[in-house]
Amino acid sequence: MEYFRSGLKSVLGTTTPGNQPTGAEIVERLVSRVSTSTLLEDRRDACRALKALSKKYRLEVGAQGMDILKQVLELDRSDCEIIGYCLDTLCNITSKDTFEEESENNINMQVNVGEQFTEMFLKNPENVTLILTFLEEYDFRVRWPAIRLMTSLVCSKPKDVQDIILVSPMGVSKLMDLLLENREVIRNDALLLLINLTKSNANIQKIVAFENAFDRLFDIIKDEGWTDGGIVVEDCLLLMLNLLKNNNSNINFFQEGAYLQKISPMFELPPNLEEVGWSPQKVSNFLCVLQLVRTVVSPNNSAQIITACQKTMRNANLLEALSNILMASGVPADILTETINAVGEVIRGNLTNQEYFANVLAPSNPPRPAIVVLLMSMVNEKQPFTLRCAVLYCFECFLFKNEIGQELVVQTLLPSNAGVSNLSMGQILCSGIFSKDHLSNWFSAVALSHCLIENPAQKEQLLRVLLATSLGAQPVSLLHQSAVFLQHTSKLQAKLGILMLLAQWMAHSPEAVKVFLNVPGSMAYLTAQTSASEFDNNEELLQGLCAFLMGLCVLYNDNSVPNYSKENLSQLIEKRVGIDTYCKKLVEISRHEVYAKAAKQPQIKSKHSSELLLEFEFCKLLKTLEGVIIQALGVQRDLSNGMSELSLNEHENALLLQYKELIRDQDKKLQDMQKSMNNMHKTTQGLETQIKELQETNTQLIDQNTLLKAQLAVNPSNVTNGPQIIESIKPLSSSIESSLLERVKTLEIERDEAKKEIERIRKDQDDLLELLTDQDLKLNTFKQRLRDLGETIDDDDSDNDNNSDGLENES
Amino acid sequence: MSYAYLFKYIIIGDTGVGKSCLLLQFTDKRFQPVHDLTIGVEFGARMITIDSKQIKLQIWDTAGQEAFRSITRSYYRGAAGALLVYDITRRETFNHLTTWLDDARQHSNSNMVIMLIGNKSDLESRREVKKEEGEAFAREHGLVFMETSAKTAANVEEAFINTAKEIYEKIQEGVFDINNEANGIKIGPQHSPTNPSLPGSGGAGGSQGSGCC
Ligand SMILES: Nc1nc2c(ncn2[C@@H]2O[C@H](COP(=O)(O)OP(=O)(O)O)[C@@H](O)[C@H]2O)c(=O)[nH]1
Ligand SMILES: [Mg+2]
């Protein structure tokens, strides 16, 4: 402080000893000096002093100095020095962070002062435009603080600044020019500014890409030594990630502009890697590049883009480079894991890439396929959990829409091939399914189930697989053994894994159902589980999956197993379980949060091994067949309710009426739901505006508060009974504030609830729509059948022609 | 993959005149009768040949609504060519041309080539703007003019290619500073930037140029 005092004397004139001025008084004098001095030098000195005080007396400088600082920026713009001081000062007072010097003064400030001052500054968008013009000034003393001030503003109020920049002419272009700076400090800070500015704003992202951002960034990365470079490389990569994430237009541009080819060299590992090792920065850079790869081929992107990028990656040897990393030694576990995920997404659904991957060999002795080596890690308890998940995901990606790959795996288990090597893909999975490690059970069962997806031939082939259980005993089939294991294992994860495997297997496959029904005790087990009334700890999932499997046994039953015909099983469900209980158990699965999580994306995103319960493709299967099962049970019940062949016609008529009734009913429900959804929408909107208004009032109050506090600090003597007034106001204002906050909170809660409700209704509506479609189909079949039987039917609902001419469509 | 030059284009004009359809017809050779409203800006690319040289076109499609005007402005400076489109069946889209042109002239580099396009020429029966009017407007403002149909593909190739030819000629005449990427022009990878007067070498020729998309 003494240091300041003596330094300030020249600016402020000497103060009478014994009468030390307060910080606020100093600030006030400085501000008035800036506004009244006619000499530039005086103003400059005062600004320099303000800058020096702007951390410690941030509140005072901001409250009293904001306007005068803006004025200087306008009037003294020809003097780089004074502009630099002003920009620095503004940067300090708008910063979102608190400063060490400052905290002692403003400890009990509730609000973020930086955000507050940023908001005041942004109230006039012209201010931002003004700062943008300072970016064009070459002088270091101006350009550098201007960038930092912009960054400070963006960090405090991203959305507001983004909107202003978008409408200011050439706003983004001016920022882009900064990447060409040869003064590194400026360039690096410009990078940080762009990273913050491009966050979740597709329009800015596109303009930045249009302004040759990728060229600029790759130039910098190259200059800095690719992934061996410092944090600047990481910043460049982070900016690229921002530009590409969920931005199809930019991904398209990235792919088309041959930028993927520029990534390849970054994956090349130096030959002396084991000596030089992996620095933490290198690991960070590498992970960013892997993220980059995954972002452009993410399963969320449009299929067209994914295919194009995958093809380019193969041709640019990027897939090869990634595969090499998988097989290299000394690669840190998190990089390995992320590489496995990346390889998965680069090959997912792309036959050529999948084939390439199947042929990658690990440098072992004798050489083994890389997939085999990976699967060995998946069933190895000692491997990190996330790595094991990554391997499963990669394997699933390998099998996705890949009949050849699916066959390849199953083939290794067939009697003719078994025993050739005991380290084939199939054999690793089989021993994994029945191993003692229940995580391996789950991983392996799910992995194997992916060999059967939409592949009837492999479902049949896999039925031929025989296992030798113990010496001398008759070999049993894999399906048989799985059903036995299901009954004997006590681990929930193992059971769920097996059930999902069996479900993929038995869906659409009467042969598999037949084998399953012949396993002693299997039906009894399913029935017992499905009818169990109490459960704990995710057992409702187990019961639901058992119910689902039972349903599949009804649905794909060719009546070839005595006592377990379609009709027998339906009655079993009706009599032993009860239709209502059964349906409740079945639909329970898709209501479960575990289901919601798993169904969201193909990748397994569990953080902890205990969360591994359901899996993406199984969820899809369940979704498509759930309704069909429920419907089939209903029909079966009606059929068995004493209908003879002769009365079928009559029965069908009744059924038809029944369905019509049902559809009408559901139509009405649908409309009601729509109505209530609209109402909810309105309520939510109302609530949202209310919240906004309240928040505005709140901000205004806080603004006023900040100003008042500052004024008070400046001149306490002026307000003779100021303290008392403040004291008397304090409880009032704080009670207002807290009641406002409370109101905002309740409104927010109400809004969230309303949102949830809408979400639920929307989901119900979807389900109903699906059911409706099914029943429509059914209705038509029945109608057709009636017609075939010679009945005439009045087509009361054939009002389906409302073709619109798309060409006329004008906005 | 290799090219002698890369040109950046933008497509501008009122909403609904067929900008997105023109781009789709040019890059994918198909027509989509009901097209989504373009949100912000979309991207497409294609390789063409001029004077036996491969030229890559990168095209940014813009949204015509008023709300997106300021965003569109950000694209002018970096573009070498612009297709300014109106709909021959809606006179108001023709009437708005001056506004668009003023905007473009104000924010672009002075050499940007602007091609005026009267789209939907297949809808002759609903025509509201005569071809002669389009020609007159173009003449008055120094633009190239064409009528196109994104639906039948009539003149679509020509519109994009003629714009490129115009730019190419300007390069030959030395009007464009091709070393300044801000003009929306890039020299192909193996065309050394230190030797910009190299267009005659033709080394970038078609053998590998298997198109881009
Ligand atoms: N008949 C006809 N219709 C067109 C043509 N071009 C576009 N359209 C239709 O005009 C509407 C608007 O097209 P769009 O490309 O989305 O316009 P944009 O807003 O300028 O991108 C769509 O319904 C198109 O199908 C054309 O050349 N002929
Ligand atoms: Mg459009």
Side-chain angles (χ1 to χ4, degrees), chain B residues 14-16 18-21 35-40 42 61-65:
Chain B
D14 279 7
T15 187
K19 298 183 294 296
S20 302
C21 288
H35 202 272
D36 300 339
L37 272 188
T38 309
I39 309 295
E42 296 307 321
D61 172 26
T62 66
Q65 297 101 304

Side-chain angles (χ1 to χ4, degrees), chain A residues 10 67 71 118 152 287 398 436 484 496 500 590 625 644 720 764 782 805-806:
Chain A
S10 58
D67 290 333
Q71 200 179 314
T118 303
S152 174
L287 285 174
F398 166 65
K436 283 199 204 66
V484 171
L496 293 181
M500 290 191 286
S590 52
L625 292 182
S644 68
T720 30
D764 281 354
F782 277 120
D805 184 2

